[in-house]
Amino acid sequence: METIAPVPNEPLIVGVSGGCDSMVLAHLLHEAKFDLLIAHVHHGLRAASDEEAAFVENWAFERNLPFRTIRLEWDGQRVNQARCREKRYQFFENLMEETNRSHLVLAHHRDDQLETLLIQLLRGEATIDGIPIHRPFGPGQLHRPLVNWTKQELTAYATRQQIEWREDATNAETKYLRNQIRHDILPRLAQVRPGFEEATVRAARLRQTIQDEHLAYVEALVARHMTDDGIVIDEINQLPTDLRRLVLQVLLPDVRLTSEDFDRFLAWLRVDMPSSEVYYGNWRIRRAYGYLTCIEKDTTDSALESFQVGADLGTYRYGERDVTFSYGEAGIPLAEVTFPLTVRSQLPGDRIQLEIGTKKVSRILIDAKVPRYLRAEVPVVVDATGQVLAVVGHRIAKFGSFELLARSYLMIEW
Ligand SMILES: Nc1ncnc2c1ncn2[C@@H]1O[C@H](COP(=O)(O)OP(=O)(O)OP(=O)(O)O)[C@@H](O)[C@H]1O
């Protein structure tokens, strides 16, 4: 299958390790006159790395192509394949941002595809669909146009076209799961069922098509049920499980989600609580009174500091609110108040005196349908004895007949 899957005719970044696969990719794209930037990551781990980096740089130089590289520093950190990969992808992402090239191209091939499918199966991942040819990545997209080429086809092509490459010594080792699959398991499967590769890859492609259609469906559904308060949860809960899980992916397209993340999301959706939240990476997803919203954590995590108010009173800001304390003709009888006052978030056990007796502050906020995540932002005013005087925005304490007899009052306004 020696045709390359379509790649956008726009400025590209090609990840070139110097191995056979990425050299063939770079060659094909260059021959097809794409606008290329060659990117190489020097892992700094093997003696041969310097030579590989120089080889790739030289290849780019001879063709007058821009070349960018990074040498990874490990400073005693543990090195493993996953770490290397993470740093590599970070480099690619930074490069996309820096150079304004929104398309990254990598040389994964059909053997990688089979290995990935088996790994997904062995790990019990939620979706066994292998490597997609195109997927969103960083500020743009990642493309793997060689995903239908076999390793054998790549090597044969390189030999025929006299494309030089450098062998990656770690590829021959079998200590990693991927390499074990490559060297031990795939050859055995081929013996048991010759031609299984084609069938397996075809099944994966079908899964990917279905998955893409489902994703598009869920994206449209989420967009349709998006209101100013968030997405209507009932609409999500009516979806079959497979689609409900995709809501998370639609909400967090840039987060690398594991199957545990999806399971956690489904379990969380099932529990019928008026309000609660769940965290993924830097994001929090909240549900409140039938709506679901998604918020980046940093922007909302600023803890609100409590502060004291002395007898000289005044106006103070707490979170989003201004609270004004003054002396006046109505409000809380001063005889009931001991200074200084404290303004803080509600604490467990807080109760406020009302006409009908005391009431839990948390209950007041629930009845007022204040979502759980906003409750900490409601200022509660307590006096020096710990008595709650006001739940700002909601209630002021009532002292019954004492109120009528009093001469002077504390007024709390917002
Ligand atoms: N050192 C490197 N410098 C630049 N590009 C690289 C480098 N190593 C790998 N690549 C690019 O990534 C592609 C895939 O490489 P490899 O299979 O080693 O990677 P991976 O990114 O760990 O993949 P996977 O997504 O399968 O875990 C290569 O074909 C090449 O395009």
Side-chain angles (χ1 to χ4, degrees):
M1 146 96 57
E2 290 186 6
T3 52
I4 174 167
V7 174
N9 195 7
E10 286 183 44
L12 309 175
I13 293 178
V14 195
V16 181
S17 63
C20 174
D21 320 335
S22 49
M23 289 310 296
V24 168
L25 176 65
H27 172 91
L28 284 166
L29 293 173
H30 179 58
E31 291 284 292
K33 304 217 166 1
F34 279 96
D35 171 356
L36 306 182
L37 180 152
I38 305 296
H40 175 80
V41 176
H42 184 316
H43 289 120
L45 296 174
R46 290 178 297 110
S49 295
D50 287 339
E51 208 277 318
E52 280 162 20
F55 165 71
V56 177
E57 179 166 13
N58 195 42
W59 185 91
F61 178 77
E62 281 171 353
R63 285 156 188 81
N64 214 6
L65 300 176
F67 171 79
R68 294 291 294 271
T69 187
I70 185 176
R71 189 191 172 107
L72 301 183
E73 303 289 343
W74 296 98
D75 301 327
Q77 289 173 59
R78 269 193 55 195
V79 182
N80 57 32
Q81 280 196 340
R83 274 255 163 79
C84 289
R85 180 183 196 281
E86 206 177 286
K87 294 199 177 212
R88 225 164 36 233
Y89 280 63
Q90 190 57 58
F91 171 65
F92 293 144
E93 198 174 326
N94 294 346
L95 210 51
M96 286 166 90
E97 262 157 21
E98 200 185 303
T99 62
N100 257 333
R101 291 177 177 248
S102 7
H103 299 278
L104 171 68
V105 194
L106 300 179
H108 292 88
H109 49 79
R110 203 183 75 174
D111 298 26
D112 294 323
Q113 178 68 298
L114 286 171
E115 288 156 23
T116 301
L117 285 165
L118 282 172
I119 287 174
Q120 288 176 332
L121 198 61
L122 294 177
R123 288 196 186 138
E125 289 193 4
T127 328
I128 317 286
D129 60 355
I131 303 172
I133 298 189
H134 311 279
R135 76 160 165 95
F137 178 82
Q141 283 215 304
L142 165 56
H143 309 273
R144 290 179 274 216
L146 297 185
V147 92
N148 293 326
W149 287 47
T150 66
K151 180 74 186 177
Q152 216 181 356
E153 283 165 344
L154 283 167
T155 324
Y157 185 86
T159 312
R160 226 172 33 248
Q161 299 289 324
Q162 299 182 338
I163 298 170
E164 261 191 85
W165 77 84
R166 294 293 180 266
E167 207 59 72
D168 177 352
T170 54
N171 273 348
E173 297 171 12
T174 49
K175 59 180 169 185
Y176 307 115
L177 179 60
R178 187 173 280 279
N179 283 336
Q180 275 174 3
I181 290 177
R182 181 176 308 172
H183 297 292
D184 300 342
I185 297 175
L186 290 178
R188 294 244 231 129
L189 283 176
Q191 278 171 3
V192 176
R193 193 175 175 88
F196 89 100
E197 296 96 332
E198 194 46 51
T200 308
V201 167
R202 206 174 332 113
R205 270 206 297 275
L206 189 61
R207 280 289 319 150
Q208 279 169 11
T209 310
I210 296 171
Q211 181 84 353
D212 288 349
E213 284 175 8
H214 283 179
L215 201 59
Y217 177 85
V218 173
E219 260 165 10
L221 182 125
V222 164
R224 213 164 45 243
H225 296 291
M226 182 70 83
T227 70
D228 286 346
D229 294 321
I231 305 154
V232 185
I233 290 190
D234 277 350
E235 299 294 339
I236 296 173
N237 277 335
Q238 278 170 25
L239 291 170
T241 315
D242 232 20
L243 298 188
R244 212 176 318 141
R245 155 191 339 269
L246 292 180
V247 172
L248 186 61
Q249 197 166 327
V250 169
L251 291 177
L252 307 177
D254 295 329
V255 180
R256 240 184 119 79
L257 296 161
T258 65
S259 49
E260 285 81 33
D261 290 333
F262 287 110
D263 291 347
R264 200 150 56 89
F265 180 66
L266 289 180
W268 177 77
L269 275 179
R270 268 195 302 273
V271 179
D272 190 15
M273 290 219 299
S275 72
S276 72
E277 51 189 46
V278 67
Y279 302 87
Y280 297 95
N282 221 17
W283 292 84
R284 55 166 73 178
I285 297 183
R286 297 165 170 175
R287 62 189 295 168
Y289 302 99
Y291 294 96
L292 195 136
T293 48
C294 187
I295 290 164
E296 211 164 353
K297 250 207 267 176
D298 295 350
T299 58
T300 54
D301 258 1
S302 55
L304 295 170
E305 297 237 350
S306 59
F307 58 86
Q308 296 205 319
V309 178
D312 48 349
L313 308 183
T315 297
Y316 300 83
R317 193 159 187 86
Y318 187 85
E320 296 292 296
R321 275 181 188 280
D322 282 330
V323 191
T324 300
F325 299 88
S326 59
Y327 295 111
E329 319 244 293
I332 302 167
L334 268 184
E336 299 293 327
V337 177
T338 315
F339 285 100
L341 312 178
T342 300
V343 181
R344 58 160 170 80
S345 310
Q346 62 151 337
L347 290 175
D350 275 350
R351 299 185 80 93
I352 184 168
Q353 175 79 39
L354 299 174
E355 293 93 335
I356 30 92
T358 66
K359 187 164 180 179
K360 275 186 169 175
V361 171
S362 56
R363 191 73 242 164
I364 291 174
L365 299 181
I366 292 169
D367 291 347
K369 298 204 183 325
V370 178
R372 178 184 295 238
Y373 58 88
L374 286 179
R375 289 181 203 155
E377 291 171 30
V378 175
V380 174
V381 183
V382 293
D383 78 353
T385 67
Q387 172 175 244
V388 176
L389 301 181
V391 180
V392 173
H394 299 275
R395 292 300 185 86
I396 290 205
K398 294 280 173 205
F399 290 90
S401 52
F402 293 114
E403 288 191 8
L404 300 172
L405 300 172
R407 295 259 179 84
S408 44
Y409 297 86
L410 169 68
M411 289 177 40
I412 305 176
E413 292 164 299
W414 50 78

